[in-house]
Amino acid sequence: MVAWENRAGTLGSLKRCGIALLIGVAGGAIFLFLFPGGALSTLMHEVLHLPGPGAGIALVVGPIALLCILLAASVLGRFGGATLAAVGFSGMCVVVSAVLTLAGGEKGMFGSPWFIAAIGTCGLLADILLWATKRATAPLRFAVAAAGANIGLLLFFWLLIFPRTKGWVLLQDVPVLLAVCLAGGLVAGALGWILSKRIPGILFRLSVR
Amino acid sequence: MCGPADFEALQTCIVRVLALSSAGLGTYVVRQTVQALSDLRGKKPERLEAVPAADSCDVLARGGHAEYSSR
């Protein structure tokens, strides 16, 4: 079960909503800084020799987004925190891609509303899974939410984005990519849980039990 | 991210990851050091409290301990 520290009424909730959104925005900025155009695809296919499309989403984009999403969910302490952070994350990516006219995001449509829809869906899934597992222990909640949302994100890309840009994923690559996706989600969930217990009081740290 | 391999971009990525990790680690080390120093400074008044008073009456007024009554 999760106990929320509810400091004060509406103003406190708005402040926490703002912080949840900012966590997503910061995460988006960090992601764009760390992975310039072409780096993700090169890392996945040339270095790790993972099949595609979807390896970058499963192993990097999804887990990084989920880390921010879960932290934001911890801060807000109610349904919607994960979705807010997801919108912040993807919105930041879209805005920066558009402003800087970044190249290299065509395959995953990083600079398009489709990307906001994909990450937003991931955040909503995380919210739903966190709500559905509210009677479970915190580590399990984070693990299930992260793994489930990461797989949902990958499926979104496979079904709605990649067919427009890169083509359909091959059936024989699906098990490998799903396994990678699950592993990435679990790592993100574990890190998210650990960090959610260590965030300073200014971010309205919750006591998770 | 699409197209042919771009090892230059990958190199940039690695450098940025290392830089950000170093910055994070450095911040953590500094924060822990500052916290440790604050804790150390915070303990000093207690040590001064434990120093025996020169005046025995002062010790008695404070309900002094046996170890301070040896003079």
Side-chain angles (χ1 to χ4, degrees), chain A residues 112-135:
Chain A
S112 74
W114 279 106
F115 187 69
I116 298 178
I119 304 291
T121 304
C122 177
L124 185 62
L125 258 175
D127 264 327
I128 291 169
L129 289 169
L130 282 170
W131 172 80
T133 55
K134 59 186 172 186
R135 294 187 189 280

Side-chain angles (χ1 to χ4, degrees), chain A residues 15-27 72 81 83-89:
Chain A
K15 203 170 177 180
R16 279 180 282 171
C17 283
I19 291 172
L21 192 65
L22 278 175
I23 289 173
V25 167
T83 312
L84 259 178
V87 168
F89 183 97

Side-chain angles (χ1 to χ4, degrees), chain B residues 39-63:
Chain B
D39 290 345
L40 203 64
R41 266 191 238 114
K43 282 178 188 170
K44 278 183 183 174
E46 287 173 8
R47 289 199 195 114
L48 287 171
E49 290 284 333
V51 170
D55 189 352
S56 57
C57 294
D58 199 19
V59 173
L60 287 170
R62 279 193 233 159

